[in-house]
Amino acid sequence: MKTERDLNPNPLTWKDYLVVGSLLFGLFFGAGNLIFPLHLGQLSGANWGTAMVGFLVTAVLLPLLSVLAVSITRSEGVYDIGLPLGSTFALIFMVLIHAAIGPLFGTPRTATVSFTVGLAPLLPSSWAHSGLLVFSALFFLLAFVISYRESSILSSIGKVLNPLFLLLLLVVFLLAFLNPISAAGAQPVTTAYQHNAFFNGFLQGYNTMDALAGLAFGVTVVTAVKQMGKTTPKSNAKVTAKAGVLATALIGLIYVVLIWLGATTLGRFKLSADGGIAFSQLVNFYLGRTGQVLLAVLITVTCLTTAVGLVAAFAQDFHQHFPKVSYHVWLALTCLASFLTANFGLDTIISWSTPLLMFLYPFAMVLILLSIFSPLFKRDSRVYVWTVGLTTIAAVLDMIAAFPPVISQTVWAKALGAWQQRFLPFASLGMDWVVPAAVGAFIGLCWHFGSQYRAKTVTTKYAHQDN
């Protein structure tokens, strides 16, 4: 049997690992990674440490595992991750993932965050709606033009301005350490975080959407590692893991500081509606109006860079699976849809994104874990069907419960919620998918290994008869 070998048998240098690590950092760190940790700190107050641990699981560890899942299964994208469940499921899953990180929530958020954090504090409050309308129109028009021409101008500018944004963030961090607004451990804790801080932090990590992004764009990282000569799944995953630890360690460190910062703001500011407002308050407190102007420029360019990547990826993937519609038409559609969604405002986007994330994340987590361990059961579709099938029940119920009151407080939704709380373990924590998924995995694995054992027994029997 021929053994697979890497095209490059030599160990990679630290520079190579830094290149892959920076690619991962750029893939994951966007608008949501700034505002949600801050808001989590405000919600958890004195319990910020416990909430932080839960947040790091879904916002740091899971995205890294999602990229490893793509590498281990040799997938070309999120479609291939769902393929063991059939082409129909894979296509629907791909569409939902791209819709979530694309025009429904993720991409519009790049415009609303840059406006809320950067520009809105510089404008009169009466201009908020009209300002967002004009800003988002120009924002997505520019994203469309750059993506249409596949220009490298923005990426070149981003290589200079994105580090400047991180430098501004570092300055705020240093000033906060030298002169904290208040003691984080002495701040009030909201009701939800008084007893279940870990699990609420875990669920807040969904909002970054990074595990979904890892499934959708992980192939970019895997391809970069292959171009370095690490072509076998084992070595590719090993390099991705090492580089991923570098990138996610930096992201995790930023999260820790942001969550702590969010808790300290309660000593001077009220609990904000979202982390965008809290970040603006922080910058104004430490750097004044000059810092706010600088922030407006840097965060707009940073978010625009992210938006260009998102709209281009959406158009490319949809053109690949629906080729009758051209790349440029898909590009126009996603930019237009993102513009329309953005003008509902950041708070509305967050409130309506939560139900879809509560539905998608259980599937994502289950598929990531199945993909990583798939060599053990040869990616047997029966294991996937049982695990994902039983996960679906809890995922649908979690989605219904997470909808805004216009849906979640209807008679039928309340009846389903009561059934969910009564019969599904951990439902009150938003983790009721865990037991059904574990039961499904157990059944699927028993079926797989049982079939293997029976096949081996039959083969041995006939071999003895032949002898």
Side-chain angles (χ1 to χ4, degrees):
M1 183 178 177
K2 189 177 179 181
T3 304
E4 279 189 283
R5 296 180 181 274
D6 289 319
L7 290 178
N8 175 18
N10 301 315
L12 297 184
T13 64
W14 273 105
K15 183 179 179 181
D16 293 326
Y17 283 112
L18 287 174
V19 168
V20 181
S22 63
L23 179 60
L24 268 165
F25 183 89
L27 175 69
F28 289 132
F29 199 83
N33 308 81
L34 182 66
I35 64 173
F36 290 112
L38 269 173
H39 194 49
L40 176 63
Q42 289 192 320
L43 291 169
S44 56
N47 289 343
W48 69 273
T50 307
M52 173 199 71
V53 176
F55 185 85
L56 292 179
V57 173
T58 45
V60 175
L61 178 61
L62 196 60
L64 175 59
L65 293 178
S66 70
V67 178
L68 289 178
V70 172
S71 173
I72 290 170
T73 56
R74 307 189 192 192
S75 299
E76 294 298 321
V78 66
Y79 177 85
D80 291 345
I81 290 291
L83 204 51
L85 289 147
S87 57
T88 301
F89 175 90
L91 187 62
I92 293 172
F93 188 61
M94 183 211 77
V95 169
L96 288 175
I97 293 287
H98 272 295
I101 64 176
L104 286 184
F105 308 118
T107 307
R109 205 166 64 186
T110 58
T112 54
V113 168
S114 50
F115 177 80
T116 303
V117 175
L119 196 60
L122 302 173
L123 300 174
S125 57
S126 59
W127 292 13
H129 295 295
S130 57
L132 177 60
L133 181 69
V134 174
F135 177 85
S136 58
L138 294 174
F139 185 93
F140 286 113
L141 179 62
L142 190 55
F144 174 78
V145 170
I146 295 169
S147 304
Y148 188 93
R149 297 179 179 178
E150 299 183 8
S151 171
S152 62
I153 294 175
L154 189 68
S155 61
S156 300
I157 295 173
K159 288 177 182 177
V160 177
L161 292 187
N162 289 352
L164 283 178
F165 172 71
L166 290 175
L167 182 61
L168 176 66
L169 200 59
L170 179 61
V171 170
V172 173
F173 287 175
L174 288 174
L175 290 172
F177 279 122
L178 294 172
N179 182 30
I181 295 176
S182 65
Q187 300 312 312
V189 181
T190 57
T191 304
Y193 287 81
Q194 289 175 3
H195 302 292
N196 296 314
F198 173 85
F199 289 107
N200 279 293
F202 186 96
L203 296 176
Q204 280 291 320
Y206 290 7
N207 287 314
T208 65
M209 301 189 189
D210 281 345
L212 308 184
L215 289 175
F217 307 133
V219 66
T220 304
V221 179
V222 172
T223 302
V225 175
K226 284 181 180 177
Q227 290 172 349
M228 293 176 174
K230 298 302 176 183
T231 48
T232 63
K234 183 178 179 180
S235 61
N236 190 288
K238 188 176 179 181
V239 171
T240 302
K242 287 184 177 180
V245 168
L246 290 174
T248 53
L250 177 57
I251 294 174
L253 181 61
I254 292 173
Y255 285 157
V256 171
V257 180
L258 285 171
I259 293 169
W260 169 77
L261 264 177
T264 66
T265 61
L266 295 174
R268 183 180 181 90
F269 304 106
K270 294 180 180 179
L271 175 64
S272 59
D274 59 70
I277 296 171
F279 192 67
S280 293
Q281 291 171 335
L282 268 172
V283 172
N284 272 289
F285 179 81
Y286 286 113
L287 299 174
R289 198 165 182 82
T290 302
Q292 183 66 51
V293 172
L294 181 61
L295 173 67
V297 174
L298 294 179
I299 198 169
T300 299
V301 175
T302 299
C303 288
L304 184 59
T305 305
T306 303
V308 168
L310 287 171
V311 297
F314 180 95
Q316 288 165 357
D317 234 5
F318 272 65
H319 174 58
Q320 179 183 345
H321 292 281
F322 306 100
K324 290 184 179 180
V325 180
S326 71
Y327 164 79
H328 291 132
V329 172
W330 280 122
L331 188 65
L333 289 173
T334 186
C335 287
L336 177 61
S338 298
F339 161 71
L340 294 173
T341 306
N343 280 277
F344 284 103
L346 184 58
D347 294 343
T348 304
I349 291 174
I350 292 172
S351 66
W352 282 96
S353 67
T354 301
L356 183 57
L357 295 178
M358 291 297 289
F359 176 72
L360 286 178
Y361 254 86
F363 289 119
M365 286 186 276
V366 163
L367 287 172
I368 287 168
L369 292 174
L370 287 174
S371 297
I372 289 174
F373 292 106
S374 61
L376 298 177
F377 55 88
K378 299 178 181 178
R379 223 179 177 197
D380 190 334
S381 62
R382 290 171 294 191
V383 180
Y384 279 80
V385 168
W386 274 102
T387 309
V388 174
L390 293 186
T391 301
T392 303
I393 300 168
V396 170
L397 292 173
D398 283 340
M399 176 180 66
I400 294 171
F403 272 118
V406 66
I407 293 177
S408 62
Q409 295 303 308
T410 57
V411 175
W412 63 269
K414 285 183 176 181
L416 285 175
W419 184 91
Q420 176 187 17
Q421 295 294 327
R422 184 178 178 184
F423 292 105
L424 294 181
F426 313 123
S428 61
L429 303 174
M431 303 291 290
D432 49 332
W433 58 272
V434 173
V435 172
V439 171
F442 179 77
I443 295 172
L445 288 170
C446 286
W447 195 346
H448 168 76
F449 289 112
S451 298
Q452 277 196 328
Y453 177 78
R454 287 193 296 273
K456 186 177 180 180
T457 302
V458 170
T459 303
T460 304
K461 178 181 177 181
Y462 280 113
H464 283 307
Q465 288 177 350
D466 290 340
N467 291 331

